[in-house]
Amino acid sequence: MTALKSCGRFPVLLGGAVGMLAGQPYMAYAMVCPGVEGRVVAYNEAAGANSISHIGAGFASLDAMIAVEMQMLISAQKIATAQESASADQENTMQIKAAEAAASVYVAGQNARQVRETTDQFESTGYNACTMEQAMGQFYTGYQTAFSGDPTSGISSYVENRPGRLSSPAEWISKVKDGTNTSAAPLYSGDLDAASRYINVVMGPPDNWKKSGQKQTDAAARMAQVRKLTSDARKNSSMRVLSAIARENATNGPQKAIDNVVSQYVGDGGERWAASMAGSDTRGILLDAVRIEAANVAAEAYEVRKSMQTEFALATYALAHEDSILHGHNQAANGVVIGSGGF
């Protein structure tokens, strides 16, 4: 049946022959069939064309795949390059920003340090600055009060034997008879009332007039007046020196004030001041040096003034002693007696 379908002519013979040749009956081969060559050639050409077409399509597909892969590779390379460039830009930007931040922090730190140093410098006003200024102000005020006016003001009214006064000694005796005002301590204690009572005792009873029974002439009266003026001058010097000492050592006087200034630095042996110097800024140390020098100058000027006053008191005492030796016991001519011997 197969042979008949394949060849179309001589079915029995060809089928038998082919079956005998192949060992399989009724099997026919296309090559022994008439017209097979043309069909084989046509099929071969079709198969070749089909193969070539498939091969072309395969190569085209391969080329397309290669092109796609190449484009993907190039795209990936571009992306990688762009990412690397972006990363480099980011890194550069990061480094720039980090440098800017570091510079900003440095500048801020420098500003803070300068502000801190400036604050420390100008807040350093030296040891106990306010108290020192107040103490120096008190000294200046006390110095002006003690030496600018009359130091006997407020004291002379209590002194019975003040210059220019002539009276009975009864009131002076009444004030001193208890004997409690003979100490010079009030002159240095700051108590002006007690100092006034002591000065009254030292100055003695007031001058008074007494007739000795002889007729007083104008010359005698004038001589008595001269002696009175001389005595008043010496008494004025004595009372002024004693009053000045009392006022200098008063609570608000210059001696107490200068002692307070000095005690600020050496009141405890200088420990607090030395400790403050160790932690003080240069400005504070310089201010301390200026204040110390000012206090030193003030103390020296004050000591000079006190030395002059002491010399004045000594000169007055020497003059009074010499006058007493020269003229005797206040005995004037023509029976006129001036002084405490008249009561």
Side-chain angles (χ1 to χ4, degrees):
M1 293 297 293
T2 302
L4 289 176
K5 290 180 180 179
S6 301
C7 298
R9 295 176 67 184
F10 309 106
V12 177
L13 179 60
L14 291 176
V18 172
M20 292 177 63
L21 290 173
Q24 296 179 357
Y26 304 108
M27 294 294 294
Y29 288 95
M31 58 184 175
V32 296
C33 292
V36 171
E37 296 84 355
R39 292 195 296 274
V40 170
V41 171
Y43 282 127
N44 187 31
E45 291 178 353
N50 191 18
S51 297
I52 292 172
S53 175
H54 281 290
I55 292 173
F59 274 105
S61 177
L62 179 61
D63 291 339
M65 291 177 61
I66 292 174
V68 171
E69 293 295 332
M70 184 63 68
Q71 293 296 330
M72 292 177 63
L73 179 60
I74 293 173
S75 177
Q77 288 179 344
K78 289 182 178 180
I79 292 174
T81 303
Q83 289 179 343
E84 183 178 0
S85 177
S87 298
D89 290 342
Q90 290 176 353
E91 183 177 357
N92 291 336
T93 302
M94 180 187 67
Q95 292 178 355
I96 292 173
K97 295 302 181 183
E100 290 177 354
S104 177
V105 170
Y106 176 77
V107 171
Q110 286 291 98
N111 292 338
R113 181 183 61 81
Q114 291 175 358
V115 170
R116 184 177 64 254
E117 290 179 352
T118 303
T119 302
D120 292 341
Q121 177 182 3
F122 287 95
E123 282 186 350
S124 181
T125 57
Y127 172 70
N128 209 6
C130 294
T131 304
M132 286 303 306
E133 295 295 336
Q134 184 178 5
M136 287 299 295
Q138 289 175 349
F139 170 73
Y140 177 78
T141 302
Y143 188 90
Q144 293 296 317
T145 302
F147 297 113
S148 62
D150 183 5
T152 65
S153 177
I155 297 177
S156 60
S157 59
Y158 194 86
V159 178
E160 296 295 331
N161 195 18
R162 57 186 177 271
R165 182 176 173 81
L166 284 172
S167 65
S168 170
E171 190 172 353
W172 180 83
I173 294 174
S174 175
K175 289 181 179 179
V176 303
K177 65 181 180 180
D178 58 359
T180 59
N181 298 306
T182 58
S183 172
L187 290 178
Y188 304 95
S189 67
D191 188 348
L192 288 180
D193 291 337
S196 299
R197 291 191 292 270
Y198 170 75
I199 294 172
N200 183 53
V201 173
V202 172
M203 295 298 294
D207 291 331
N208 66 312
W209 295 92
K210 187 183 79 170
K211 293 286 185 68
S212 63
Q214 300 178 6
K215 184 178 180 181
Q216 183 179 2
T217 63
D218 292 340
R222 285 194 296 271
M223 182 57 67
Q225 186 177 9
V226 170
R227 291 297 307 279
K228 172 63 176 171
L229 292 174
T230 304
S231 175
D232 285 347
R234 290 197 300 268
K235 287 190 295 183
N236 184 49
S237 299
S238 300
M239 191 172 69
R240 188 177 184 87
V241 171
L242 293 174
S243 299
I245 293 174
R247 287 200 176 279
E248 289 170 14
N249 292 277
T251 304
N252 58 347
Q255 185 61 55
K256 299 291 185 183
I258 199 67
D259 290 343
N260 184 31
V261 171
V262 174
S263 69
Q264 298 299 320
Y265 294 108
V266 297
D268 59 347
E271 293 182 5
R272 287 194 304 268
W273 173 56
S276 70
M277 289 268 296
S280 181
D281 191 84
T282 305
R283 179 174 180 268
I285 296 174
L286 291 176
L287 290 174
D288 267 352
V290 172
R291 293 192 188 100
I292 292 173
E293 187 61 24
N296 185 42
V297 171
E300 289 181 356
Y302 183 45
E303 287 300 322
V304 169
R305 185 66 178 261
K306 290 175 65 177
S307 298
M308 293 172 59
Q309 181 172 277
T310 302
E311 294 176 0
F312 173 67
L314 291 174
T316 303
Y317 173 78
L319 178 62
H321 183 65
E322 181 182 354
D323 185 75
S324 177
I325 294 175
L326 181 63
H327 294 96
H329 301 82
N330 292 336
Q331 182 65 43
N334 300 320
V336 178
V337 179
I338 305 173
S340 59
F343 62 88

